[in-house]
Amino acid sequence: MKLNRRTLTVALATAALASLLPATALAQKKIVLGFAQVGAESEWRTANTESIKSAAKESGIELKFSDGQQKQENQIKAIRSYIAQKVDVIAFSPVVESGWETVLREAKAAKIPVVLTDRSVNTKDESLYVTFMGSDFVEEGRKAGRWLVEKMKDQKGEVNIVELQGTVGSAPAIDRKKGFEEIIKADPKFKIIRSQTGDFTRAKGKEVMEAFLKADGKKINVLYAHNDDMAIGAIQAIEEAGLKPAKDITIISIDAVKGAFEAMMAGKLNVSVECSPLLGPQLMTAVKDIKAGKQIPKRIVTEEGIFPMEVAKAEFPKRKY
Ligand code: AHR
């Protein structure tokens, strides 16, 4: 390669400057993302955390991660510490819908963009976050309701339903209830005879189902659980009560985690509505786009399906969570 005097001078000057600067200053500065997770209450949440951690690694984003142990005050504390550390972007999955305005205003004042993942907040001021990515929980409830209406279309008498709700005040608990009720109300034979929170955990799902069985026993025709973990806990309670899950009591749940597929393949769960926790790659793309000053949609909805027990065996090998 021929070098003229000008290119040679520029090359020498660049090399001299590089030798004076520390290597870290030459490398591109990493984007720092602070993520405040709900907790580790379910198989779904574990998969969600894993998706976020591995996607951050693959994208070269520095992740600061905190586990809120299902407590709003812990999540607020974590967000405040991310503000103090001046991270580039804050993302979080709000355990409950309300009570976020103050801390979101603090993030806005510090000019730190906020991304909501999985669950939303109920604020009128949409300028407090850049985007919300995750499932349509109302639609998930509708899918559960439609499946039940179709399954019971020839049933003449009453259909007594017990409902295991998710965490009180959380978006999925509120919306999944709403969507399900919207569909079943079209036929008065469907009756929710009991509805209580199982806090999205197996242990609570089992405990509450035991209480339902004690109170209503053989009267119960259907269990609608807002997530698979509670359904799996409830299956144990049903078996311990001497009943056959998915036969004596039709069981519908949400998430479609591997544990639900195993229960379906064992003939103990009738159907699971999909709710994907694999939000990590999407989140990292959004974080990079925000930092690059690109415009991103206010709402990014995850595409999802529904898996009845009849297809569980064929679908299981394809499941990623
Ligand atoms: O917000 C998503 C819900 O939270 C999942 O359905 C549930 O399993 C989790 O705990």
Side-chain angles (χ1 to χ4, degrees):
M1 184 176 84
K2 264 193 192 167
L3 290 176
N4 62 31
R5 184 185 280 235
R6 197 178 129 67
T7 22
L8 193 61
T9 317
V10 172
L12 286 173
T14 312
L17 185 65
S19 70
L20 290 174
L21 289 170
T24 45
L26 285 175
Q28 225 194 357
K29 197 183 153 287
K30 265 193 172 187
I31 298 174
V32 181
L33 167 68
F35 188 89
Q37 181 59 289
V38 171
E41 74 283 6
S42 61
E43 202 177 320
W44 188 100
R45 190 65 55 196
T46 307
N48 180 245
T49 293
E50 171 50 31
S51 170
I52 287 156
K53 286 187 175 170
S54 60
K57 209 168 178 189
E58 272 159 37
S59 313
I61 288 174
E62 186 183 327
L63 179 69
K64 293 183 184 294
F65 183 90
S66 70
D67 177 334
Q69 296 178 353
Q70 281 187 284
K71 289 198 175 73
Q72 183 173 33
E73 70 251 37
N74 291 345
Q75 285 194 293
I76 291 177
K77 227 185 266 169
I79 295 169
R80 289 209 166 112
S81 105
Y82 297 147
I83 296 171
Q85 291 172 66
K86 298 186 171 51
V87 300
D88 296 300
V89 179
I90 292 173
F92 76 113
S93 176
V95 60
V96 290
E97 274 191 334
S98 56
W100 299 101
E101 299 237 345
T102 309
V103 74
L104 288 179
R105 284 195 197 292
E106 290 167 24
K108 191 177 173 184
K111 296 193 170 36
I112 301 177
V114 172
V115 175
L116 302 176
T117 72
D118 161 38
R119 301 180 183 180
S120 190
V121 297
N122 63 358
T123 173
K124 284 203 179 83
D125 184 357
E126 290 198 342
S127 76
L128 294 177
Y129 61 92
V130 182
T131 182
F132 162 41
M133 58 178 63
S135 310
D136 180 342
F137 296 135
V138 179
E139 187 53 27
E140 289 172 353
R142 288 192 196 111
K143 280 181 189 159
R146 285 188 205 111
W147 182 89
L148 181 65
V149 167
E150 175 59 26
K151 162 124 178 129
M152 302 279 178
K153 63 175 190 272
D154 298 324
Q155 176 110 346
K156 291 287 174 283
E158 281 185 349
V159 178
N160 294 320
I161 305 164
V162 293
E163 180 182 31
L164 281 170
Q165 292 186 39
T167 303
V168 177
S170 70
I174 295 165
D175 294 352
R176 287 171 183 169
K177 182 169 186 54
K178 187 173 162 203
F180 184 75
E181 285 177 350
E182 184 190 307
I183 300 297
I184 62 160
K185 76 168 185 228
D187 188 336
K189 77 178 177 190
F190 294 106
K191 288 198 167 37
I192 299 183
I193 57 169
R194 285 188 193 269
S195 182
Q196 209 177 301
T197 182
D199 212 11
F200 282 130
T201 69
R202 279 184 198 203
K204 251 326 198 48
K206 179 169 188 266
E207 190 186 308
V208 178
M209 190 66 203
E210 278 166 358
F212 287 165
L213 287 161
K214 220 175 197 179
D216 292 309
K218 292 202 168 127
K219 222 172 123 189
I220 304 170
N221 307 115
V222 176
L223 162 66
Y224 170 44
H226 288 189
N227 83 342
D228 291 336
D229 281 76
M230 291 189 294
I232 291 165
I235 287 170
Q236 232 181 302
I238 293 168
E239 286 180 318
E240 283 171 17
L243 295 169
K244 288 199 171 64
K247 292 180 185 76
D248 296 326
I249 298 177
T250 297
I251 307 175
I252 309 165
S253 69
I254 299 183
D255 279 353
V257 294
K258 282 189 179 161
F261 275 79
E262 279 156 7
M264 286 193 276
M265 290 188 292
K268 297 179 180 186
L269 173 68
N270 298 83
V271 64
S272 187
V273 175
E274 190 178 34
C275 175
S276 176
L278 308 178
L279 300 170
Q282 224 173 354
L283 172 61
M284 301 312 147
T285 305
V287 167
K288 284 186 174 173
D289 286 350
I290 291 166
K291 281 307 287 172
K294 287 188 197 160
Q295 197 71 24
I296 58 171
K298 198 78 196 174
R299 176 77 170 105
I300 304 170
V301 186
T302 319
E303 296 291 318
E304 289 152 344
I306 175 165
F307 301 99
M309 68 190 330
E310 294 75 19
V311 304
K313 199 169 171 227
E315 288 294 325
F316 185 66
K318 299 181 225 159
R319 299 306 292 164
K320 293 198 171 65
Y321 63 93

